Amino acid sequence: MKQPETTQLPASDLTTKGTTAFKRCLGLFDSVMVVVGVMIGSGIFIVSAEMSRLIGSSGWLLIAWTVTGVLTVAGALSYGELAAMMPDAGGMYVYLREAFSPICGFLYGWTLWTVIQTGTIAAVAIAFARFSGVLFPGISENNYIVTPTLISARYALSLSTAQVVAIGVIVVLAVGNSLGVQYGKLIQNVFTIAKISALIVLIVLGLTVCANRAAVQANFAHPWSLSGLSLSGSALTGVLAMIVALCISQTGSLFSADSWHDITFVAAEVKNPRKNLPLALLIGTASVILLYLLCNLAYLASLPLSAIQHAPEDRVGTAVLQTIFPRFGAPLMAIAIVLSTFGTVNALTLAGARACYAIARDGLFFTAAGKLNKAGVPGWALGIQGLWSTVLVLPRTYDPITHEYGNLYSNLLNYVISAALLFYILTIAAVFRLRRTRPLAERPYKTWGYPWLPALYIVGASIIVAVLFVYRPETTWPGLVIVALGIPVYFLMRRVPHKTV
């Protein structure tokens, strides 16, 4: 029988136990820096190449980024209501647990810990190492300390100098964040300001010094004409092909603008969270989306679409700078990306450990991860997260035909993109559900544009997910398998006795 509304705890008290030792050290500026810092990595400098190959039009490339922007800001405005209701460590894990069921929250937490957060940490750390290799050639994925050893027909283990650097970054930032949230926020603020500055410089140069009349004429004389629309294996044409291409292209742009909700993981350390969390989500996401749109305008003002589509190694940002700095374009962009990725790994490290902490508090993760150290941060959770991220750096994929090595986490991240979108859709749906099941709960902030704005996100994201499942099954269905593997783990963890934390 449904409990009377008056017997329910206020949402903000649901996970208060154990969070009193957290130190509320993150003001609005710090919170915005976390949102911006975790969003801006290396993707914005690279993914426009693949997107432009898929879409084949300068105008539609900007539309694709606009779609990403609308969905991201709509999601952030909707999450703000949940964050203000439940300003506790754990973010989406807590929202899904309270709106739907403990297993729903756990399956998100399971996917987050096994792949989404740790895999992204590994991926961005390797990106840091790769671009460090532009400055220091000895750092390379092909410069082996331990040569690849095949462990199956398609997988190997190796240790290259790039992998060593990536592991070093993960360890340094895990240790740094274990010293206290003050250290984590200092690193975050410094590197986020640096990466914003670097991105602004690229935008200004792209729209002024690097801009040329031939590129502008080629890209904007007929911005909607399709050139080289790429949908391999599909017989689609016309409007339907364009819609499918737009949806598939969101894999790149949404990933580049992802993780904006990570600030909700550290809600227990945000000052005046009922006000600052919604504001940080709005200011942070809107600022990054604006920068991303301007960055793509700079690309299109500097390079014809064909040059963007075929930029060496997809490094569009580097190609822009090399139009005016032929010798120094690559090193300058490498410095910008090294700064950017270091800050991103820090934000991911800081936030992800709080989600592990919240899951452990519910007895569904390693007990030690639910403890705070003397600095008032989840030290064990930081260590466990860092260890698994390090493990994900080591395995390599192997192509027996080309004899080339890739990275396992890249495959895993591709697999869970659709699954992550499904969790986002469920979280936005939680706004509707909690309005119905807890109408009297305190809501310091209510979603702007409710119910139309959250409904827009749900519809838009659902269309993208449906298209991905139909036209990219090889990278979508495996994601559901990873999520499903969490079901037996959930019931196993419930049966394991846990000490009171």
Side-chain angles (χ1 to χ4, degrees):
M1 185 171 67
K2 182 180 178 181
Q3 295 283 343
E5 180 71 28
T6 54
T7 67
Q8 293 180 352
L9 289 171
S12 60
D13 291 336
L14 291 168
T15 57
T16 299
K17 180 184 177 184
T19 63
T20 52
F22 276 121
K23 300 175 183 178
R24 293 198 180 274
C25 299
L26 304 177
L28 177 59
F29 176 79
D30 306 315
S31 301
V32 171
M33 290 297 98
V34 172
V35 176
V36 174
V38 80
M39 289 177 72
I40 303 176
S42 60
I44 183 57
F45 306 109
I46 297 170
V47 300
S48 289
E50 173 66 16
M51 290 175 68
S52 63
R53 288 195 294 270
L54 280 167
I55 295 170
S57 161
S58 56
W60 287 108
L61 176 63
L62 294 177
I63 292 296
W65 281 99
T66 302
V67 169
T68 295
V70 170
L71 287 177
T72 300
V73 175
L77 288 169
S78 301
Y79 271 56
E81 178 170 322
L82 301 171
M85 282 180 67
M86 296 171 272
D88 307 294
M92 280 176 64
Y93 165 74
V94 174
Y95 311 153
L96 292 170
R97 182 193 70 194
E98 297 303 325
F100 298 105
S101 69
I103 191 171
C104 185
F106 176 79
L107 289 178
Y108 170 71
W110 158 263
T111 312
L112 181 83
W113 183 76
T114 55
V115 181
I116 297 175
Q117 200 79 0
T118 50
T120 305
I121 289 172
V124 180
I126 283 289
F128 173 93
R130 282 175 180 164
F131 284 91
S132 297
V134 176
L135 305 172
F136 306 100
I139 302 173
S140 169
E141 288 186 280
N142 297 319
N143 186 2
Y144 294 110
I145 298 171
V146 177
T147 56
T149 301
L150 288 175
I151 55 177
S152 72
R154 291 186 175 274
Y155 297 97
L157 290 174
S158 74
L159 185 64
S160 64
T161 51
Q163 288 171 296
V164 169
V165 170
I167 291 170
V169 169
I170 293 169
V171 171
V172 166
L173 290 176
V175 172
N177 277 277
S178 70
L179 300 177
V181 71
Q182 298 93 333
Y183 292 92
K185 82 171 186 180
L186 176 63
I187 295 170
Q188 195 58 46
N189 292 349
V190 169
F191 280 88
T192 300
I193 291 171
K195 72 169 73 177
I196 291 172
S197 301
L199 194 54
I200 289 174
V201 169
L202 175 63
I203 291 168
V204 171
L205 289 175
L207 293 175
T208 56
V209 180
C210 299
N212 68 82
R213 184 174 299 179
V216 172
Q217 176 68 21
N219 291 330
F220 295 105
H222 303 285
W224 311 111
S225 62
L226 302 181
S227 172
L229 182 65
S230 174
L231 279 175
S232 58
S234 172
L236 296 175
T237 58
V239 175
L240 184 57
M242 191 68 254
I243 293 173
V244 171
L246 276 174
C247 290
I248 294 174
S249 72
Q250 294 302 302
T251 299
S253 54
L254 282 173
F255 181 76
S256 297
D258 197 18
S259 300
W260 47 267
H261 59 86
D262 275 22
I263 185 60
T264 64
F265 294 154
V266 297
E269 292 152 286
V270 175
K271 300 175 183 177
N272 193 9
R274 297 177 183 275
K275 175 183 177 182
N276 287 338
L277 283 171
L279 278 175
L281 285 165
L282 173 59
I283 295 170
T285 55
S287 300
V288 172
I289 293 302
L290 177 61
L291 287 172
Y292 280 6
L293 285 170
L294 290 173
C295 195
N296 278 276
L297 276 174
Y299 294 158
L300 292 169
S302 306
L303 301 169
L305 188 66
S306 59
I308 295 174
Q309 292 172 322
H310 303 292
E313 299 181 64
D314 288 351
R315 297 179 181 181
V316 184
T318 300
V320 169
L321 289 183
Q322 286 183 323
T323 61
I324 55 170
F325 305 115
R327 292 181 57 191
F328 303 108
L332 288 172
M333 182 51 60
I335 292 171
I337 294 179
V338 163
L339 292 173
S340 182
T341 49
F342 191 85
T344 301
V345 175
N346 182 73
L348 290 165
T349 300
L350 184 151
R354 274 64 176 178
C356 296
Y357 169 88
I359 302 168
R361 295 296 303 183
D362 288 341
L364 297 171
F365 197 57
F366 301 111
T367 301
K371 297 179 181 179
L372 301 181
N373 63 17
K374 293 180 180 179
V377 296
W380 277 101
L382 283 162
I384 294 168
Q385 175 183 258
L387 178 62
W388 185 243
S389 299
T390 296
V391 169
L392 291 179
V393 168
L394 298 176
R396 307 290 295 272
T397 57
Y398 175 69
D399 188 328
I401 298 175
T402 63
H403 303 293
E404 293 181 350
Y405 291 96
N407 295 288
L408 176 64
Y409 60 75
S410 298
N411 285 11
L412 295 175
L413 288 173
N414 286 334
Y415 294 159
V416 299
I417 285 173
S418 297
L421 276 174
L422 287 173
F423 283 120
Y424 294 165
I425 292 168
L426 275 176
T427 306
I428 302 297
V431 176
F432 291 94
R433 180 168 174 78
L434 290 172
R435 288 278 187 110
R436 181 173 61 84
T437 59
R438 295 181 186 173
L440 302 183
E442 185 181 357
R443 290 175 171 81
Y445 161 79
K446 292 187 176 182
T447 300
W448 182 86
Y450 180 90
W452 305 111
L453 192 72
L456 172 67
Y457 182 95
I458 291 173
V459 171
S462 297
I463 292 172
I464 292 171
V465 169
V467 169
L468 288 174
F469 271 99
V470 173
Y471 292 98
R472 288 291 187 271
E474 70 280 3
T475 59
T476 48
W477 291 104
L480 294 186
V481 174
I482 294 174
V483 175
L485 288 174
I487 296 174
V489 175
Y490 171 76
F491 289 104
L492 177 64
M493 294 300 293
R494 287 187 63 187
R495 296 180 62 180
V496 175
H498 289 265
K499 296 180 180 179
T500 302
V501 180

